[in-house]
């Protein structure tokens, strides 16, 4: 039987103990929030509102995609970071504090901070840290820390949404027996999970499909077809009227091309600046590649922001990727 790796209990954080005397509690997640970030933060937000009704709870996130608008609490998300409130307790989810963007200042000034994350590159940036790289998602970890008496169908939906997004609907290797046990508990609350999967994970607008198609068409294979790169420049994004969140899913499509061990997708964020997303199989640890450029993530899915021309960026990344591939090849030959 496969070992259940993500059964880490030693550094668990007692959320309700920390929250019991807090008057104002803040929550945030990483910039450009993805499904796990939205699901974990909303799940915790709804949970704290219910379990600590005396406290004021505020959730800060950059404006998430409206595919998540049916989750309870979506309309209460604060995407304006102008205020200067001091929080008694502040949670950073699904990333270290430096990825909070505009909300980082609230974390810095808070009296007590908690960091809950599953990124291998995160060393823990709170007073209390629950960082478990083996966990499928921040959503799974947040659920792990919840007292189930307070969990309801809306919290379950948020957590479930987060888990399906970070596991690719229970497909990626971060899916553990524990992940599925939690998912089983969640669907028992009774919601239309297949609708959530379709509408938030698989469904894409016509424009999103068009830009994906165009990126695949213009993609380039390198390293004897073992790597692929796709790129979207500013001009193309403006032409289609798309935002970065409309590009979600392109890198996964590049990854499933037969023979490809490592997929790189990048889009232009500014003059000579690209946001890079990488996906791989066992051959390359893309968290290491991203870490080299100040980014991070997981072994098989990671990202970073890199400066230079498209060719500079891909040349640099490909050197790090090639080094790992060579090491992997020579190891597997012995
Ligand atoms: P994606 O390619 O989907 O944006 O991100 C893949 C994984 O890498 C996610 O877990 C994401 O949080 C992480 N990641 C993406 N970009 C960065 C980055 O710039 N810094 C860090 N630390 N992690 C990143
Ligand atoms: Mn995540």
């Amino acid at each position: 039987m496969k070992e259940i790796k993500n059964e880490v209990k030693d550094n668990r954080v007692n959320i309700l103990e920390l929250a019991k005397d807090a008057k104002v509690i803040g929550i945030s997640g990483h910039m450009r929030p993805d499904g796990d970030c939205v699901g974990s933060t909303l799940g915790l937000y709804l949970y704290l509102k219910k379990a600590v009704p005396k406290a004021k709870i505020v959730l800060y996130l950059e404006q998430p995609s409206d595919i998540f608008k049916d989750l309870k609490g979506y309309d209460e998300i604060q995407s304006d970071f102008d205020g200067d409130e001091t929080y008694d307790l502040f949670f950073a989810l699904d990333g270290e504090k430096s990825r909070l963007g505009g909300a980082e200042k609230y974390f810095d000034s808070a009296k007590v901070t908690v960091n809950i994350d599953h990124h291998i590159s995160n060393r823990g940036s709170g007073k209390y840290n629950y960082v478990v790289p083996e966990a499928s998602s921040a959503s799974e970890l947040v659920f792990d820390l919840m007292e189930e008496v307070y969990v309801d169908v809306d919290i379950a939906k948020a957590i479930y949404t987060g888990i399906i997004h970070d596991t690719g609907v229970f497909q990626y290797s971060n899916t553990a027996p524990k992940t599925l046990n939690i998912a089983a508990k969640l669907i028992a609350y009774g919601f239309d999970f297949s609708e959530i999967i379709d509408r938030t994970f698989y469904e894409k607008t016509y424009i999103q499909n068009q830009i994906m198609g165009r990126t695949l068409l213009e993609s380039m294979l390198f390293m004897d077809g073992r790597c692929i790169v796709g790129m979207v420049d500013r001009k193309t994004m403006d032409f289609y009227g798309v935002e970065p969140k409309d590009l979600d899913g392109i890198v996964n499509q590049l990854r499933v091309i037969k023979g490809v061990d490592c997929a790189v997708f990048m889009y232009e964020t500014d003059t000579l600046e690209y946001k890079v997303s990488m996906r791989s199989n066992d051959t390359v640890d893309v968290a290491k590649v991203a870490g080299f450029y100040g980014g991070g993530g997981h072994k098989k899915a990671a990202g970073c922001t890199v400066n230079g021309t498209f060719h500079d960026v891909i040349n640099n990344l490909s050197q790090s990727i090639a080094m790992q591939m060579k090491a992997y090849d020579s190891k597997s030959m012995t």
Side-chain angles (χ1 to χ4, degrees):
M1 206 165 100
K2 200 175 163 207
E3 185 196 356
I4 304 175
K5 283 195 293 189
N6 57 351
E7 203 77 45
V8 178
K9 293 271 183 242
D10 52 348
N11 59 346
R12 289 171 66 89
V13 176
N14 188 332
I15 292 180
L16 296 187
E17 184 60 31
L18 291 176
K20 75 178 189 316
D21 298 320
K23 291 193 176 63
V24 275
I25 304 176
I27 304 169
S28 189
H30 60 76
M31 295 175 278
R32 290 185 277 262
D34 58 5
D36 182 31
C37 183
V38 175
S40 59
T41 54
L42 269 178
L44 181 62
Y45 173 74
L46 297 172
Y47 174 77
L48 286 173
K49 275 182 57 144
K50 205 166 156 189
V52 198
K54 283 187 307 201
K56 180 185 163 202
I57 323 285
V58 184
L59 168 54
Y60 292 100
L61 279 184
E62 283 183 1
Q63 183 61 47
S65 164
D66 66 4
I67 56 174
F68 302 113
K69 72 177 179 350
D70 291 341
L71 293 176
K72 191 175 175 189
Y74 177 89
D75 293 332
E76 293 155 39
I77 295 172
Q78 294 285 328
S79 299
D80 166 349
F81 308 102
D82 286 344
D84 53 7
E85 294 83 358
T86 305
Y87 287 90
D88 296 319
L89 179 60
F90 202 94
F91 291 87
L93 304 189
D94 200 26
E96 65 264 31
K97 81 169 186 93
S98 60
R99 295 189 66 212
L100 296 179
E104 187 179 357
K105 63 177 184 189
Y106 302 121
F107 190 91
D108 287 339
S109 63
K111 293 179 191 143
V112 178
T113 54
V114 182
N115 190 191
I116 302 172
D117 190 17
H118 67 126
H119 288 94
I120 197 161
S121 43
N122 184 359
R123 282 151 202 249
S125 47
K127 179 167 193 294
Y128 298 93
N129 298 293
Y130 189 45
V131 180
V132 185
E134 298 80 18
S136 71
S137 51
S139 300
E140 178 180 321
L141 292 173
V142 167
F143 181 77
D144 219 16
L145 298 175
M146 286 179 179
E147 288 187 17
E148 287 184 36
V149 284
Y150 296 110
V151 178
D152 58 25
V153 64
D154 295 310
I155 296 172
K157 260 166 127 167
I159 298 292
Y160 186 85
T161 303
I163 294 177
I164 58 156
H165 276 258
D166 259 24
T167 59
V169 194
F170 310 113
Q171 185 211 340
Y172 308 151
S173 56
N174 58 358
T175 309
K178 182 173 178 184
T179 320
L180 294 170
N181 284 331
I182 291 177
K185 280 188 191 167
L186 295 171
I187 65 169
Y189 284 90
F191 55 86
D192 191 345
F193 59 85
S194 103
E195 197 254 351
I196 292 183
I197 293 170
D198 259 347
R199 204 176 27 76
T200 74
F201 192 80
Y202 289 112
E203 189 180 271
K204 299 275 173 226
T205 62
Y206 182 58
I207 294 289
Q208 286 168 336
N209 276 299
Q210 275 196 311
I211 199 157
M212 180 185 298
R214 184 171 162 160
T215 311
L216 297 177
L217 203 66
E218 292 171 354
S219 65
M220 287 180 296
L221 289 164
F222 59 106
M223 283 183 214
D224 297 326
R226 293 173 73 184
C227 288
I228 190 162
V229 59
M231 192 271 280
V232 176
D233 60 18
R234 214 52 264 166
K235 224 172 52 227
T236 310
M237 287 178 75
D238 291 345
F239 176 78
Y240 286 97
V242 296
E243 294 178 45
K245 57 191 169 212
D246 295 310
L247 308 174
D248 277 0
I250 296 181
V251 70
N252 286 331
Q253 198 56 45
L254 292 167
R255 179 189 72 91
V256 294
I257 293 169
K258 194 170 163 69
V260 165
D261 290 326
C262 182
V264 180
F265 171 67
M266 47 205 263
Y267 64 86
E268 203 177 358
T269 41
D270 212 331
T271 312
L272 297 179
E273 187 188 275
Y274 291 88
K275 174 76 200 169
V276 176
S277 279
M278 290 178 282
R279 299 290 184 271
S280 68
N281 51 25
D282 287 328
T283 323
V284 180
D285 178 346
V286 283
K288 275 199 188 145
V289 179
F292 199 68
Y293 298 94
H298 313 281
K299 264 178 133 167
K300 297 184 181 182
C304 51
T305 299
V306 185
N307 295 300
T309 64
F310 168 68
H311 288 101
D312 290 340
V313 173
I314 199 62
N315 274 337
N316 290 336
L317 291 172
S318 64
Q319 279 175 27
S320 318
I321 294 169
M323 251 160 43
Q324 286 201 39
M325 278 187 169
K326 268 196 208 126
Y328 178 89
D329 290 348
S330 51
K331 211 166 64 195
S332 47
M333 277 194 297
T334 53

